[in-house]
């Protein structure tokens, strides 16, 4: 149901929608950017706690540069050199991250009005048509993003897209989680596990070099639960270049599976991440600074962390990475689930 209506700076009517389940969990999503605004989960005492960073008003999402709760595309993460070749033709993209493209360039999907295709108490589907040439990419792309809240306290995000030309697609959600509560300060004391034996090495501009590095014996090893902050200041090249964790992990296994967990000792809340995708960017909010957030909170560096399920960054330039080419008429169809316990 609609729980809030606001006007954007362009005069569009942005609506926020509330989904609830019988266990008391609630999420709020907006048709502005198909954005996840709020995730309220019961803590060990049964109190509802909002565990994602965000803004109170639509202006925050219009003006913010850190992608709180954003649906990101047409290609999430980075494309080196802001160009790529497909079927013998070169495509030029917007440079918005040094000489590279980040999250599709400057005309972000997260700052556009999406249409609501259907909605009920448990789920809502947003649609966006991204025309041929949009952000520099080929093909008219019809995108559906469905948020669903189950009685098992699962937040399901289903991405579905079809193009009339060969193109490249890699959609993700950029929510920042803090399981002690969005306004509780640092998330570095919370524990994380990532079921990945390797990560993709990246250069100083966060573009993968093509090398896949085992996590064994490095601060990148999250195969057992550990405090996020335990190794983050290690003098390890990947951490120095990224200013902390901001890397793509090569997820173990195939198909839809459990790939990561997060836990807060303070609240007793656990979140498990499931996906059918091969990679996940684990980002520790290294570049968030003095961000005016919800309920008077001012977010700082490392106050929340992202689990961005994805095809590997810059995969269009690295054949052995696989993904993200979508053939004309075929379907991009992927699911990510955040389950709270």
């Amino acid at each position: 149901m609609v729980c809030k209506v606001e006007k954007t700076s362009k005069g569009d009517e942005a609506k926020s929608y509330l989904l609830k389940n019988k266990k008391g969990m609630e999420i709020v999503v907006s048709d502005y950017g198909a954005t996840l605004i709020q995730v309220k989960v019961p803590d060990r005492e049964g109190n509802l706690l909002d565990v994602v960073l965000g803004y109170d008003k639509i202006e925050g999402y219009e003006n913010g540069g850190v992608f709180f709760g954003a649906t990101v595309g047409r290609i999430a993460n980075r494309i080196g050199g802001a160009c790529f070749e497909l079927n013998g033709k070169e495509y030029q993209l917007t440079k918005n991250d040094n000489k590279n493209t980040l999250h599709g360039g400057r005309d972000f999907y997260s700052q556009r009005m999406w249409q609501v295709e259907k909605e009920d108490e448990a789920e809502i589907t947003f649609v966006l048509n991204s025309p041929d040439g949009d952000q520099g990419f080929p093909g008219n792309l019809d995108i559906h993003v469905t948020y669903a809240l189950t009685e098992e306290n699962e937040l399901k995000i289903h991405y579905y897209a079809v193009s009339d030309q060969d193109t490249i697609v890699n959609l993700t959600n950029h929510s920042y989680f803090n399981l002690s509560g969005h306004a509780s300060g640092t998330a570095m004391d919370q524990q994380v596990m990532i079921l990945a034996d390797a990560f993709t090495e990246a250069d100083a501009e966060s573009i993968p070099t093509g090398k896949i590095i085992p996590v064994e014996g490095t601060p990148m090893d999250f195969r057992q639960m550990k405090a996020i902050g335990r190794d983050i200041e290690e003098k390890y090249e990947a951490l120095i270049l990224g200013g902390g964790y901001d890397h793509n992990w090569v997820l173990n296994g195939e198909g839809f599976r459990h790939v990561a967990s997060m836990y807060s000792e303070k609240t007793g809340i656990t979140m498990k991440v499931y996906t059918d995708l091969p990679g996940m960017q684990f980002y520790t909010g290294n570049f968030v600074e003095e961000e005016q957030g919800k309920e008077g909170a001012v977010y700082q560096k490392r106050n929340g962390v992202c689990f961005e399920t994805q095809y590997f960054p810059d995969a269009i330039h690295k054949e052995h990475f696989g993904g993200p080419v979508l053939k004309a008429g075929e379907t991009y169809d992927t699911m990510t689930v955040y389950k709270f316990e």
Side-chain angles (χ1 to χ4, degrees):
M1 69 173 188
V2 176
C3 60
K4 193 176 187 182
V5 181
E6 298 175 89
K7 275 277 198 296
T8 71
S9 60
K10 292 179 179 169
D12 294 313
E13 211 170 67
K15 295 189 178 85
S16 295
Y17 296 81
L18 174 67
L19 307 182
K20 291 169 108 165
N21 70 11
K22 292 187 177 73
K23 290 186 177 166
M25 187 172 157
E26 300 177 1
I27 70 166
V28 175
V29 290
S30 174
D31 57 6
Y32 182 80
T35 302
L36 181 61
I37 286 176
Q38 194 177 78
V39 177
K40 286 191 170 177
V41 185
D43 67 7
R44 66 161 67 87
E45 310 294 331
N47 302 310
L48 272 189
L49 204 61
D50 188 358
V51 296
V52 291
L53 278 56
Y55 305 104
D56 283 324
K57 295 185 176 169
I58 205 72
E59 297 93 87
Y61 294 97
E62 287 190 273
N63 303 321
V66 291
F67 302 99
F68 287 154
T71 294
V72 178
R74 184 175 298 196
I75 290 281
N77 217 307
R78 293 168 177 86
I79 296 178
C83 66
F84 69 96
E85 193 179 291
L86 185 63
N87 300 336
K89 185 175 176 184
E90 186 161 290
Y91 295 90
Q92 296 294 328
L93 309 172
T94 308
K95 294 176 182 175
N96 67 325
D97 185 57
N98 298 309
K99 58 180 186 290
N100 312 304
T101 299
L102 175 65
H103 298 328
R106 285 198 190 87
D107 188 5
F108 301 117
Y109 285 0
S110 57
Q111 293 177 331
R112 301 187 194 183
M113 293 303 305
W114 293 56
Q115 302 304 308
V116 174
E117 184 179 64
K118 57 180 184 186
E119 60 128 344
D120 59 33
E121 288 172 358
E123 67 177 60
I124 184 165
T125 299
F126 298 109
V127 295
L128 181 75
N129 175 258
S130 177
D132 181 29
D134 187 15
Q135 299 176 326
F137 295 100
N140 292 294
L141 187 71
D142 285 313
I143 306 165
H144 296 66
V145 176
T146 300
Y147 289 95
L149 178 59
T150 74
E151 290 304 325
E152 286 69 52
N153 282 2
E154 297 164 317
L155 165 55
K156 295 185 169 183
I157 310 178
H158 179 213
Y159 304 90
Y160 180 90
V162 180
S163 174
D164 62 356
Q165 291 179 48
D166 291 1
T167 190
I168 58 175
V169 184
N170 189 22
L171 304 170
T172 197
N173 183 276
H174 207 293
S175 288
Y176 291 70
F177 294 94
N178 185 322
L179 301 186
S180 298
H182 78 93
S184 64
T186 184
M188 293 302 98
D189 58 333
Q190 290 163 56
Q191 302 205 9
V192 160
M193 175 174 69
I194 302 171
L195 298 170
D197 295 335
F199 71 101
T200 50
E201 182 185 67
D203 65 17
E205 293 185 352
S206 294
I207 303 297
T209 63
K211 281 188 191 164
I212 292 174
I213 307 290
V215 299
E216 182 79 45
T218 78
M220 315 301 277
D221 191 348
F222 280 91
R223 291 173 299 177
Q224 304 288 325
M225 275 282 200
K226 70 174 181 181
I228 303 165
R230 191 185 84 180
D231 303 326
I232 202 167
E233 300 298 347
E234 291 278 316
K235 298 287 181 266
Y236 182 69
E237 186 180 36
L239 292 175
I240 294 165
L241 292 178
Y245 296 110
D246 187 11
H247 301 80
N248 172 65
W249 268 258
V250 179
L251 300 171
N252 295 347
E254 288 181 4
F256 187 75
R257 66 222 185 272
H258 174 219
V259 298
S261 296
M262 184 180 184
Y263 172 68
S264 166
E265 177 62 45
K266 282 182 190 162
T267 62
I269 296 171
T270 295
M271 180 179 80
K272 292 180 177 173
V273 184
Y274 299 79
T275 191
D276 47 23
L277 288 166
M280 185 183 76
Q281 193 85 3
F282 178 57
Y283 172 51
T284 46
N286 310 317
F287 304 107
V288 176
E289 209 174 285
E290 295 289 325
E291 198 72 28
Q292 302 290 325
K294 290 184 268 197
E295 300 167 336
V298 180
Y299 305 125
Q300 306 290 0
K301 178 177 174 179
R302 301 178 183 163
N303 281 188
V305 299
C306 305
F307 298 84
E308 302 162 65
T309 55
Q310 62 183 0
Y311 288 111
F312 298 174
D314 203 36
I316 191 63
H317 292 135
K318 318 255 181 337
E319 210 169 293
H320 62 295
F321 277 6
V325 174
L326 178 66
K327 296 282 189 189
E330 293 186 357
T331 54
Y332 175 92
D333 190 342
T334 175
M335 173 89 79
T336 293
V337 172
Y338 301 98
K339 183 176 184 179
F340 297 88
E341 297 170 355

